[in-house]
Amino acid sequence: MSERLVYLDNAATTPLDPRVREAMDPLHGTLAGNPSSLHRAGRAARAAVEGARKQVADLLGAKPDEVIFTASGTEANNLALVGVMAPEGIPLGHLITSRIEHPSVLEVCRSLERRGASVTYLPVDANGLVEPADLASALRPDTRLVSVMAANNVVGTVQPITDLCRIAHGAGALFHTDAVQAIGKIPLHAGDMGMDLLSMSAHKLNGPQGVGALFIRSGVPLAPLIHGGGQEKGLRSATENVAGIAGFGAAAEIAKRERAKESARLVTLRERLLEELGRHIPNLYLIGDRYRRLPGHLCLGLAGREGEAIKLMLDLDERGIAVSSGSACSAHHRSEPSHVLSAMGFDPITARGSLRVTLGRFTSEEDIDLLLQALPEVAASVHS
Ligand code: PLP
């Protein structure tokens, strides 16, 4: 196995940017205070948290007091859905989502259904896009929330969330988007786009793992999931993960500053990779919308036998190249077809066997060259 790791699984998680680590390091020391303490160490910790809140809000075009820190994107999604749909003492209403959401939305929907909520799962087309007209016809007078992800983690398709948000608001419903994959990669301005709630996660934008955030537009009513000391305006009690939050802030600031240039670079790398792969591996095809996709995201199908994509992924791993077959989040359900690809109309064999190649900030031309050198040979051996 080669020493050099070619990491092309940035949709699963991203390497920590050294500039982010630099922002976090001082807060890992013995002097890290509790942000709720009034002494000097506490005030320093509070300043770090509030500085980061502003940096994350700036990335979104939001106000700092519209951002609540959580321990993950998963928790932000849970808080958004349960917090709107199931406050104590209020009957559960109707929720609309899509069939291709991340499990941290879909499993919450199933739990809410078991508790008596009514949930509509919108279909997607063959490119993985929700049709706004389908949302318009699914809305009901008792629809309280519409939740559609900004970009999909398996196929990378970017949803028309501005249109979906406008349609939801037209029927008096709130709009939430899971922007965990999209934030920092495509322009997302909460102020202009109008969404009420938006989930984020630091580790998808070269920040630390285990820290997320929820944007909650001022005035949107939300009940907490975690009760305790009343931190985060009572919406997320617990002593804050100060170093993690500071890292998230630094990651957000870097993403805001570098997004446009970096996205253009990734699109160029992605297009070169796609073109050359198509030339070398004839049975390979792109899954998901050709253009409405995240800059560094490719989901590839391989017309062939069952299990080929997983074998390909493992053979590439042997050569020090990390790509993903399906999504990391479905690693616990490996033998099941991807619910995303099934919803897009793919047969169970394809739905079990896609290859996901996701580029990121530290992906170089040389990484792409190494994949291009390795893949035809690996594909031929898998195919034979
Ligand atoms: N939503 C999407 C679209 C994701 O891709 C992920 C993680 O892969 C999550 C939510 C969960 O985020 P976290 O890993 O921070 O819990």
Side-chain angles (χ1 to χ4, degrees):
M1 199 171 106
S2 104
E3 284 300 302
R4 188 180 192 286
L5 175 68
V6 175
Y7 185 75
L8 298 171
D9 195 14
N10 287 274
T13 196
T14 53
L16 193 67
D17 190 305
R19 295 168 290 180
V20 171
R21 178 173 303 152
E22 218 168 276
M24 295 171 70
D25 274 351
L27 296 154
H28 279 130
T30 47
L31 274 179
N34 184 322
S36 298
S37 301
L38 296 178
H39 49 63
R40 191 182 306 173
R43 292 198 305 276
R46 170 60 53 206
V49 170
E50 296 315 318
R53 201 185 307 282
K54 179 162 181 350
Q55 288 167 311
V56 173
D58 282 350
L59 176 62
L60 281 180
K63 292 181 260 176
D65 68 355
E66 293 176 314
V67 172
I68 293 295
F69 288 111
T70 63
S72 60
T74 296
E75 188 191 323
N77 282 339
N78 274 257
L79 175 58
L81 269 65
V82 178
V84 169
M85 294 301 296
E88 281 167 33
I90 296 183
L92 291 139
H94 178 227
L95 165 66
I96 302 177
T97 189
S98 85
R99 287 192 197 154
I100 64 164
E101 297 298 310
H102 187 264
S104 58
V105 166
L106 288 178
E107 291 304 320
V108 181
C109 290
R110 285 178 195 128
S111 159
L112 287 167
E113 278 185 290
R114 288 190 292 273
R115 291 165 64 180
S118 165
V119 181
T120 301
Y121 299 89
L122 296 174
V124 291
D125 66 14
N127 288 329
L129 289 169
V130 171
E131 175 55 59
D134 287 338
L135 171 61
S137 51
L139 283 157
R140 307 191 323 212
D142 66 337
T143 308
R144 197 175 301 158
L145 181 67
V146 175
S147 177
V148 177
M149 69 203 319
N152 183 266
N153 47 304
V154 178
V155 292
T157 306
V158 173
Q159 299 294 341
I161 52 167
T162 309
D163 291 348
L164 298 173
C165 179
R166 198 180 52 244
I167 293 167
H169 284 169
L174 295 172
F175 187 81
H176 164 251
T177 191
D178 171 355
V180 166
Q181 289 290 340
I183 194 79
K185 297 179 197 148
I186 57 172
L188 270 179
H189 195 283
D192 292 349
M193 295 167 87
M195 59 284 257
D196 302 292
L197 300 137
L198 179 150
S199 304
M200 301 164 260
S201 182
H203 75 100
K204 308 286 188 182
L205 63 152
N206 304 98
Q209 295 179 336
V211 55
L214 181 66
F215 158 79
I216 310 162
R217 181 177 299 286
S218 301
V220 168
L222 196 75
L225 283 183
I226 298 176
H227 303 270
Q231 290 90 342
E232 298 294 293
K233 295 199 293 182
L235 283 170
R236 206 280 177 178
S237 289
T239 299
E240 297 85 341
N241 169 5
V242 178
I245 288 171
F248 193 176
E253 189 182 305
I254 295 167
K256 181 174 184 325
R257 201 171 50 236
E258 299 181 355
R259 189 196 58 74
K261 201 165 159 221
E262 175 61 8
S263 293
R265 187 186 77 88
L266 289 178
V267 168
T268 307
L269 282 183
R270 178 193 82 191
E271 290 300 304
R272 178 184 155 221
L273 178 59
L274 185 60
E275 195 191 308
E276 298 203 20
L277 283 178
R279 215 164 357 171
H280 293 300
I281 311 176
N283 64 334
L284 180 138
Y285 56 93
L286 181 71
I287 296 177
D289 196 90
R290 177 74 184 83
Y291 300 106
R292 287 193 65 101
R293 62 172 47 250
L294 292 171
H297 198 121
L298 285 178
C299 182
L300 304 163
L302 278 163
R305 288 188 298 269
E306 169 124 48
E308 281 189 3
I310 290 181
K311 176 134 194 344
L312 206 84
M313 187 271 285
L314 294 173
D315 283 3
L316 286 171
D317 187 45
E318 276 291 302
R319 292 165 184 244
I321 301 176
V323 299
S324 165
S325 65
S327 81
C329 306
S330 62
H332 307 294
H333 309 278
R334 211 168 268 199
S335 57
E336 288 168 27
S338 150
H339 70 284
V340 177
L341 300 184
S342 300
M344 289 164 69
F346 286 97
D347 61 84
I349 292 180
T350 310
R352 261 195 289 270
S354 67
L355 203 68
R356 186 179 70 175
V357 182
T358 47
L359 323 181
R361 185 175 298 158
F362 301 108
T363 307
S364 62
E365 285 277 355
E366 197 193 347
D367 291 331
I368 301 299
D369 291 341
L370 288 169
L371 177 65
L372 284 168
Q373 276 162 28
L375 202 54
E377 199 184 306
V378 172
S381 80
V382 165
H383 222 52
S384 60

